[in-house]
Amino acid sequence: MINILRVNRNLTETQKLVIESVKSFCKSELKPRVITDYKDEVVDKNIFKKFGEMGIFGPTIKGYGCLGESYKTYGLIAKEIEAVDSGYRSMFSVQSSLVMGPIYNYGTDKLKDKYLPGLS
């Protein structure tokens, strides 16, 4: 398959490791359950705990247990989750961008210290 966007060109070693880890997780943990979750209309909160254990929430945030990586890394993580299920990818994005992002960008140090470690 030709990679038209060439998003996998010039990846750092960290990016390669993160993407392979996320891809493996999605294949082994996420993919086997998404059809059942969809049919049963449930969201497995343990998936999010595992995302947190992997350290992939707020991937562009420096510190607080986050990766401190580029937006390219963020997009590649989201791409791997999206390849399995758009619902879980949306929830990953909401946690990372709409919840953690404003706290990191606009919150006081006290708010950051209080919330970001737990959210990550």
Side-chain angles (χ1 to χ4, degrees), residues 64 100 102-104 106-119:
Y64 307 99
M100 297 174 74
I103 294 170
Y104 182 71
Y106 306 110
T108 63
D109 288 340
K110 186 176 179 179
L111 282 174
K112 292 175 190 179
D113 292 341
K114 181 176 181 179
Y115 292 109
L116 289 176
L119 290 166

Side-chain angles (χ1 to χ4, degrees), residues 1-3 5-7 16 25-26 33-34 36 39 41-42 44 50 59 66-67 71 74-75 87 91 101 115-116 119:
M1 178 170 89
I2 298 174
N3 185 350
L5 298 177
R6 297 184 178 150
V7 294
K16 290 175 187 175
F25 173 82
C26 287
R33 63 172 308 112
V34 293
T36 304
K39 286 180 183 176
E41 298 180 358
V42 298
D44 183 3
K50 291 179 181 180
C66 301
L67 291 172
Y71 281 95
Y74 179 104
M91 289 180 270
Y115 292 109
L116 289 176
L119 290 166

Side-chain angles (χ1 to χ4, degrees), residues 18 21-22 48-61 63-69 73 77 92 96 100 119-120:
V18 169
S21 176
V22 172
F48 291 95
K49 289 179 183 177
K50 291 179 181 180
F51 282 170
E53 290 167 4
M54 293 172 64
I56 63 171
F57 282 127
T60 59
I61 294 173
Y64 307 99
C66 301
L67 291 172
E69 275 286 319
T73 304
I77 292 168
F92 161 78
S96 296
M100 297 174 74
L119 290 166
S120 72

